[in-house]
mmCIF file of all heavy atoms in Angstrom:
data_model
loop_
_atom_site.group_PDB
_atom_site.id
_atom_site.type_symbol
_atom_site.label_atom_id
_atom_site.label_comp_id
_atom_site.label_asym_id
_atom_site.label_seq_id
_atom_site.Cartn_x
_atom_site.Cartn_y
_atom_site.Cartn_z
ATOM 1 N N ARG X 250 -12.253 4.263 13.958
ATOM 2 C CA ARG X 250 -13.160 3.927 12.877
ATOM 3 C C ARG X 250 -12.948 2.466 12.494
ATOM 4 O O ARG X 250 -11.820 2.015 12.320
ATOM 5 C CB ARG X 250 -12.895 4.825 11.667
ATOM 6 C CG ARG X 250 -13.802 4.516 10.473
ATOM 7 C CD ARG X 250 -13.502 5.454 9.325
ATOM 8 N NE ARG X 250 -13.793 6.827 9.687
ATOM 9 C CZ ARG X 250 -15.004 7.358 9.653
ATOM 10 N NH1 ARG X 250 -16.040 6.628 9.279
ATOM 11 N NH2 ARG X 250 -15.195 8.605 10.000
ATOM 12 N N THR X 253 -13.039 -2.459 8.799
ATOM 13 C CA THR X 253 -13.240 -3.828 8.314
ATOM 14 C C THR X 253 -14.640 -4.067 7.769
ATOM 15 O O THR X 253 -14.974 -5.195 7.413
ATOM 16 C CB THR X 253 -12.972 -4.832 9.446
ATOM 17 O OG1 THR X 253 -13.925 -4.625 10.501
ATOM 18 C CG2 THR X 253 -11.561 -4.665 9.998
ATOM 19 N N THR X 260 -14.969 4.542 3.189
ATOM 20 C CA THR X 260 -14.080 4.429 4.346
ATOM 21 C C THR X 260 -12.702 4.963 4.023
ATOM 22 O O THR X 260 -12.087 5.673 4.836
ATOM 23 C CB THR X 260 -13.988 2.964 4.802
ATOM 24 O OG1 THR X 260 -15.293 2.485 5.128
ATOM 25 C CG2 THR X 260 -13.084 2.821 6.005
ATOM 26 N N THR X 298 18.342 27.135 9.588
ATOM 27 C CA THR X 298 17.182 26.267 9.806
ATOM 28 C C THR X 298 17.169 25.113 8.816
ATOM 29 O O THR X 298 16.763 24.004 9.161
ATOM 30 C CB THR X 298 15.868 27.067 9.672
ATOM 31 O OG1 THR X 298 15.772 27.615 8.353
ATOM 32 C CG2 THR X 298 15.811 28.182 10.686
ATOM 33 N N LEU X 322 0.991 -3.240 13.719
ATOM 34 C CA LEU X 322 0.633 -4.121 14.840
ATOM 35 C C LEU X 322 -0.687 -3.701 15.479
ATOM 36 O O LEU X 322 -1.549 -4.534 15.763
ATOM 37 C CB LEU X 322 1.742 -4.100 15.891
ATOM 38 C CG LEU X 322 2.970 -4.968 15.621
ATOM 39 C CD1 LEU X 322 4.090 -4.586 16.581
ATOM 40 C CD2 LEU X 322 2.651 -6.432 15.738
ATOM 41 N N ALA X 354 18.606 13.373 22.421
ATOM 42 C CA ALA X 354 18.618 14.797 22.782
ATOM 43 C C ALA X 354 19.946 15.186 23.431
ATOM 44 O O ALA X 354 20.556 16.196 23.060
ATOM 45 C CB ALA X 354 17.448 15.104 23.721
ATOM 46 N N THR X 370 28.068 23.082 6.942
ATOM 47 C CA THR X 370 27.306 24.302 7.187
ATOM 48 C C THR X 370 28.200 25.530 6.976
ATOM 49 O O THR X 370 29.318 25.574 7.491
ATOM 50 C CB THR X 370 26.772 24.309 8.631
ATOM 51 O OG1 THR X 370 26.010 23.124 8.846
ATOM 52 C CG2 THR X 370 25.900 25.525 8.883
ATOM 53 N N LEU X 417 -3.972 22.523 15.782
ATOM 54 C CA LEU X 417 -3.684 23.286 17.004
ATOM 55 C C LEU X 417 -2.209 23.646 17.076
ATOM 56 O O LEU X 417 -1.839 24.791 17.375
ATOM 57 C CB LEU X 417 -4.093 22.467 18.234
ATOM 58 C CG LEU X 417 -3.732 23.071 19.597
ATOM 59 C CD1 LEU X 417 -4.464 24.388 19.817
ATOM 60 C CD2 LEU X 417 -4.051 22.077 20.718
ATOM 61 N N MET X 501 13.047 6.155 3.389
ATOM 62 C CA MET X 501 13.081 7.620 3.368
ATOM 63 C C MET X 501 14.512 8.138 3.268
ATOM 64 O O MET X 501 14.779 9.145 2.603
ATOM 65 C CB MET X 501 12.392 8.167 4.614
ATOM 66 C CG MET X 501 10.914 7.812 4.688
ATOM 67 S SD MET X 501 10.088 8.488 6.149
ATOM 68 C CE MET X 501 10.063 10.245 5.740
ATOM 69 N N MET X 550 -6.080 0.206 6.641
ATOM 70 C CA MET X 550 -7.245 -0.604 6.303
ATOM 71 C C MET X 550 -6.869 -2.068 6.089
ATOM 72 O O MET X 550 -7.537 -2.976 6.581
ATOM 73 C CB MET X 550 -7.935 -0.043 5.069
ATOM 74 C CG MET X 550 -8.604 1.305 5.296
ATOM 75 S SD MET X 550 -9.400 1.966 3.801
ATOM 76 C CE MET X 550 -10.785 0.812 3.632
ATOM 77 N N ILE X 555 -6.635 -7.716 7.727
ATOM 78 C CA ILE X 555 -5.830 -8.924 7.949
ATOM 79 C C ILE X 555 -6.055 -9.432 9.356
ATOM 80 O O ILE X 555 -6.224 -10.636 9.590
ATOM 81 C CB ILE X 555 -4.332 -8.637 7.689
ATOM 82 C CG1 ILE X 555 -4.081 -8.427 6.193
ATOM 83 C CG2 ILE X 555 -3.465 -9.793 8.203
ATOM 84 C CD1 ILE X 555 -2.655 -8.018 5.866
ATOM 85 N N PHE X 620 2.718 7.653 -11.241
ATOM 86 C CA PHE X 620 3.308 6.335 -10.983
ATOM 87 C C PHE X 620 3.845 6.244 -9.564
ATOM 88 O O PHE X 620 3.825 5.171 -8.952
ATOM 89 C CB PHE X 620 4.416 6.054 -12.007
ATOM 90 C CG PHE X 620 3.913 5.935 -13.408
ATOM 91 C CD1 PHE X 620 3.881 7.037 -14.253
ATOM 92 C CD2 PHE X 620 3.439 4.722 -13.885
ATOM 93 C CE1 PHE X 620 3.403 6.933 -15.542
ATOM 94 C CE2 PHE X 620 2.959 4.606 -15.172
ATOM 95 C CZ PHE X 620 2.930 5.716 -16.008
ATOM 96 N N GLN X 625 3.145 3.850 -4.090
ATOM 97 C CA GLN X 625 2.912 4.080 -2.668
ATOM 98 C C GLN X 625 1.686 3.329 -2.157
ATOM 99 O O GLN X 625 1.684 2.806 -1.042
ATOM 100 C CB GLN X 625 2.759 5.580 -2.397
ATOM 101 C CG GLN X 625 4.047 6.368 -2.544
ATOM 102 C CD GLN X 625 5.168 5.815 -1.693
ATOM 103 O OE1 GLN X 625 5.006 5.597 -0.502
ATOM 104 N NE2 GLN X 625 6.312 5.588 -2.307
ATOM 105 N N MET X 631 1.165 -3.758 1.118
ATOM 106 C CA MET X 631 2.085 -4.855 1.435
ATOM 107 C C MET X 631 2.724 -4.700 2.815
ATOM 108 O O MET X 631 2.895 -5.678 3.535
ATOM 109 C CB MET X 631 3.163 -4.960 0.350
ATOM 110 C CG MET X 631 2.638 -5.479 -0.984
ATOM 111 S SD MET X 631 3.937 -5.781 -2.213
ATOM 112 C CE MET X 631 4.339 -4.115 -2.710
ATOM 113 N N SER X 647 15.388 1.743 -7.889
ATOM 114 C CA SER X 647 14.747 2.838 -8.626
ATOM 115 C C SER X 647 15.486 4.156 -8.462
ATOM 116 O O SER X 647 15.594 4.942 -9.415
ATOM 117 C CB SER X 647 13.300 3.005 -8.154
ATOM 118 O OG SER X 647 12.555 1.831 -8.377
#
Side-chain angles (χ1 to χ4, degrees):
R250 179 179 297 278
T253 63
T260 302
T298 61
L322 280 167
T370 304
L417 174 64
M501 297 181 71
M550 292 179 70
I555 290 175
F620 295 93
Q625 290 305 309
M631 289 186 285
S647 300

